[in-house]
Amino acid sequence: MHTVALAVTDGMLHFELSLASEVFGAPPAGVDVPWYSVAVCGPRAVRVGRFLLEPDHGFDGLTRAHTVIVPGWADVDQDPPAALVDAVRAAHEAGARVASLCTGAFVLAAAGLLDGRRATTHWAHTRVLAARYPRVKVDPDVLYVDNGSVLTSAGKAAAMDLCLHLVRLDHGSSIANAAARRLVVPPHRDGGQAQFVTTPVPAPGNHPLGELFPWVIERLDRPLTVEDLARQANMSSRNLGRHFRSATGTTPLQWLLTQRIRHAQELLETTDDGIDSIAAATGMGTATTLRRHFNRTVGVPPDTYRRTFRAQRPTPAAPATT
């Protein structure tokens, strides 16, 4: 079983800690796959926000974990405790995947795990992070950064995005989407999206693009253009681009490509359809086009992705008997 260790000490932000516990603590309903074992690791009873928390293990438990989550660090003007920094460094050296949520990036930076790496944190603290740790390549404009064994996220909602990204890496897109539905959050936002957008992806009826998003999702098999989207939204292409940037932090074409890739992932995980059929169903046209965009976006070819996650398809829960 994959162990996720939450590294805690006095001064952690309780929202990020609770968020990680919620994502990794239990599988979505109806999904029958080996889920995570969550361990809270800290030196003693610690104060997290307004609460006292009794850890399950000491910091030595981090070195036995597969994934270590470092929640937000409340006081970025103070150096994080040396014991926490040393334990996080030791966990990474032992082979753990280490991820920070929000200002937890300051702990990873203090441990030297971000030296020479691209990283992010809450937009309000990116300048402080860059000034204090000049060897870190701080990117203030993204939701999260995945460096393989070291990951960082921006604040609050972006921390959820990173946690779901980890679930997606471990279990595939279908199960990550099921986890998102259980938590009643959007199923996916790319790490490269902008941190600061004026609204989340809008619901129908309360935003100029609210009706457009579901209209597009239902027509991913069609060769849609920006002009098609603008016509459906009853606005100019330039105005459409402004609204898209405000709502999603990206362009209409990039957003559309992301939806096509995510749909392809679900089809690869849950159907036996060939690559040509999936290319048609996702509006990619040809298998060659699908493979090129899929490999560039996901990092592996569609066939490799299918082999990796096919064994992890969700199994419906058995019906209750009386």
Side-chain angles (χ1 to χ4, degrees):
M1 184 174 291
H2 187 120
T3 299
V4 174
L6 308 179
V8 300
T9 190
D10 289 335
M12 290 294 186
L13 299 174
H14 72 275
F15 180 87
E16 285 77 5
L17 178 61
S18 300
L19 181 154
S21 180
E22 187 71 21
V23 171
F24 300 110
V31 171
D32 184 17
V33 297
W35 202 244
Y36 304 94
S37 172
V38 176
V40 179
C41 300
R44 59 189 181 285
V46 298
R47 182 167 292 280
V48 179
R50 298 180 179 179
F51 306 98
L52 283 175
L53 180 66
E54 186 71 38
D56 305 312
H57 307 279
F59 280 144
D60 59 317
L62 299 183
T63 60
R64 299 190 293 272
H66 300 90
T67 296
V68 171
I69 304 292
V70 182
W73 174 246
D75 190 355
V76 297
D77 293 328
Q78 300 293 325
D79 291 332
L84 172 63
V85 172
D86 292 343
V88 169
R89 184 190 301 113
H92 185 258
E93 291 174 350
R97 178 177 63 183
V98 178
S100 65
L101 307 181
C102 193
T103 50
F106 283 79
V107 178
L108 272 59
L113 303 188
L114 302 182
D115 287 355
R117 286 188 166 107
R118 183 167 157 263
T120 195
T121 188
H122 190 289
W123 61 267
H125 303 293
T126 51
R127 289 185 179 180
V128 177
L129 182 66
R132 189 174 303 167
Y133 302 101
R135 297 183 65 184
V136 180
K137 302 174 182 177
V138 179
D139 189 338
D141 298 321
V142 296
L143 295 177
Y144 58 84
V145 176
D146 182 351
N147 287 300
S149 65
V150 178
L151 305 92
T152 54
S153 82
K156 307 303 180 186
M160 175 70 79
D161 292 318
L162 178 56
C163 288
L164 290 173
H165 174 68
L166 293 174
V167 174
R168 183 172 292 103
L169 291 175
D170 297 336
H171 294 291
S173 182
S174 180
I175 292 179
N177 289 346
R181 285 192 295 271
R182 177 176 69 86
L183 297 165
V184 198
V185 297
H188 181 267
R189 291 195 299 171
D190 282 322
Q193 287 191 27
Q195 277 196 41
F196 188 76
V197 294
T198 57
T199 63
V201 175
N206 62 359
H207 189 277
L209 301 184
E211 302 294 338
L212 180 64
F213 286 103
W215 183 86
V216 173
I217 295 299
E218 292 175 0
R219 293 165 175 78
L220 290 177
D221 59 330
R222 305 182 188 182
L224 299 172
T225 66
V226 172
E227 288 72 23
D228 294 328
L229 272 60
R231 190 179 304 111
Q232 178 63 26
N234 195 28
M235 61 181 66
S236 69
S237 298
R238 177 174 294 183
N239 199 23
L240 177 78
R242 285 198 298 268
H243 281 296
F244 250 93
R245 178 67 67 179
S246 173
T248 70
T250 190
T251 66
L253 285 181
Q254 185 58 51
W255 181 86
L256 179 60
L257 176 61
T258 297
Q259 307 318 306
R260 295 190 193 281
I261 294 296
R262 298 313 165 205
H263 188 37
Q265 286 179 296
E266 292 230 31
L267 293 175
L268 288 165
E269 294 173 33
T270 60
T271 74
D272 296 316
D273 295 350
I275 302 301
D276 287 309
S277 296
I278 292 176
T282 57
M284 294 288 190
T286 67
T288 300
T289 301
L290 171 61
R291 287 191 172 95
R292 182 174 70 253
H293 287 296
F294 195 97
N295 201 0
R296 181 186 304 157
T297 302
V298 182
V300 296
D303 304 282
T304 302
Y305 184 90
R306 170 172 271 170
R307 287 194 299 271
T308 300
F309 290 112
R310 198 55 187 270
Q312 302 180 28
R313 289 171 59 181
T315 302
T321 58
T322 57

